[in-house]
Amino acid sequence: MRVIRATAMGLCFGVQDALEMVESIERPERVTIYGELVHNGLVQERLKRLGFRQAAEVGRERSLPETPIVLITAHGVSEAERRRLEAAGREVIDTTCPLVRRAHRAAVALQAQGYFVVIIGKPDHVEVRGLTGDLTRYAVVDRPEAARPYGAARIGLVCQTTTPPPLVRAIAEAVTAANPDAQEIRLVDTVCRPTRERQQAMDQLLDQVEAVVVVGGRHSNNTRALTERCRARGVRAWQVERAEELDPAWFAGIEVVGLTAGTSTLDVTIDEVERVLLAIGAGDRSTKLSAERGDRAPEPVS
């Protein structure tokens, strides 16, 4: 079995910067990470071992962290939440991705200019909750069918940074169709460049393979989008967080498998998944050669 890597995959610069900043902290026990630094189970396990505390992403606004330092994750928070933390005397370390900051600025600017703001993204995602935290009139739309009439003369659309570009276009068209009386509908496309590059690389990969393994956290929006992109094209896809989750039975009869990963996936994890895939492929070839020679399989040991 041959393994073909996507030409763009794995860690983006925003996640890389956040990881490097965390690794430089000398006293982790004094720091609460405000949510998941990145949506990567292996990273979460390491941070816990180092002594960092972690606030839950859901419902965290109801209580203040006990530690004197709070670290804002790459997904960001609203300015209102940041001010609340600072007013309570917490020192804030900010690892918000610059491209997420750009989306925040776009949403606030649209509201200031009198637009009703529509956020294209997942309503329950931490990044989207940060985007909406500074808005008073808004809607969140995660699929074209969710678009509604908003009774606004001017509608501005902003994207969660990891939204697949084809979905952005489909939702923008649906919002336009649902609001024929709007005088202006303006889209500020805040999908980040790494997301675009990984989606484009996926499209190229799908023309070369029979199936794809997508490596990334189960809560990672951009990783899930890569998996969904495969299935939308009719290509089998499996999403795993680590190599141990691979099942050799998945690849029976497959000659060429693609490999890609979300923007919060470590290089070492991708390399390990590839190593195991190649080992599975070597095992498949050995089995085929034995069958062609007429070799009998060993009797099971009881």
Side-chain angles (χ1 to χ4, degrees):
M1 184 172 71
R2 189 157 60 100
V3 178
I4 301 178
R5 283 186 172 225
T7 56
M9 63 175 172
L11 287 184
C12 64
F13 72 89
V15 170
Q16 185 67 54
D17 290 349
L19 292 173
E20 291 176 358
M21 189 176 296
V22 165
E23 291 288 346
S24 70
I25 294 174
E26 295 182 355
R27 297 185 61 186
E29 71 280 0
R30 290 171 51 83
V31 180
T32 295
I33 298 176
Y34 214 43
E36 294 186 14
L37 181 69
V38 293
H39 290 147
N40 181 312
L42 294 173
V43 171
Q44 303 309 319
E45 292 169 9
R46 171 168 171 73
L47 295 175
K48 184 177 181 179
R49 289 195 302 270
L50 289 173
F52 287 98
R53 299 192 190 185
Q54 180 174 305
E57 286 191 341
V58 178
R60 65 188 183 195
E61 294 84 355
R62 289 192 291 269
S63 61
L64 288 166
E66 296 178 359
T67 59
I69 303 172
V70 177
L71 186 143
I72 305 301
T73 74
H75 302 106
V77 297
S78 66
E79 286 302 314
E81 185 62 14
R82 188 191 311 272
R83 289 193 297 269
R84 187 179 82 97
L85 292 170
E86 292 173 341
R90 303 301 189 269
E91 178 185 344
V92 173
I93 299 175
D94 194 353
T95 70
T96 304
C97 172
L99 300 180
V100 173
R101 287 182 180 276
R102 174 175 170 258
H104 276 258
R105 291 194 297 269
V108 171
L110 285 170
Q111 178 172 263
Q113 295 165 21
Y115 290 88
F116 177 87
V117 181
V118 174
I119 305 295
I120 298 176
K122 301 289 185 182
D124 58 347
H125 194 279
V126 58
E127 180 186 326
V128 173
R129 292 202 301 273
L131 288 171
T132 60
D134 294 316
L135 303 177
T136 55
R137 296 178 63 246
Y138 66 89
V140 180
V141 180
D142 61 351
R143 61 192 187 283
E145 297 78 13
R148 298 288 183 269
Y150 301 115
R154 304 170 76 202
I155 299 172
L157 295 89
V158 174
C159 314
Q160 180 181 344
T161 57
T162 54
T163 307
L167 181 59
V168 171
R169 291 191 293 271
I171 290 177
E173 291 172 359
V175 169
T176 300
N179 293 270
D181 297 329
Q183 298 173 9
E184 181 186 5
I185 297 179
R186 177 185 174 190
L187 170 64
V188 181
D189 191 343
T190 52
V191 174
C192 70
R193 178 172 54 81
T195 292
R196 295 183 188 280
E197 290 174 346
R198 282 146 185 75
Q199 286 274 323
Q200 292 167 356
M202 173 63 85
D203 287 341
Q204 296 168 1
L205 187 65
L206 292 176
D207 293 331
Q208 307 173 63
V209 301
E210 301 165 67
V212 177
V213 173
V214 184
V215 189
R218 291 181 177 82
H219 302 299
S220 167
N221 187 62
N222 72 89
T223 302
R224 186 167 51 247
L226 290 171
T227 306
E228 292 171 353
R229 181 63 178 160
C230 295
R231 293 168 179 166
R233 286 275 300 271
V235 176
R236 281 178 287 179
W238 299 279
Q239 182 175 331
V240 300
E241 288 193 338
R242 59 193 80 196
E244 292 86 341
E245 297 175 18
L246 293 168
D247 184 345
W250 295 346
F251 307 99
I254 293 177
E255 298 291 338
V256 186
V257 63
L259 177 62
T260 190
T263 56
S264 57
T265 306
L266 303 176
D267 292 344
V268 65
T269 306
I270 299 171
D271 293 342
E272 178 65 9
V273 168
E274 182 178 33
R275 186 190 69 76
V276 172
L277 284 173
L278 291 172
I280 290 172
D284 286 346
R285 285 196 294 274
S286 298
T287 300
K288 289 178 182 178
L289 289 172
S290 296
E292 290 169 359
R293 293 196 303 265
D295 294 349
R296 293 183 61 191
E299 295 292 329
V301 179
S302 58

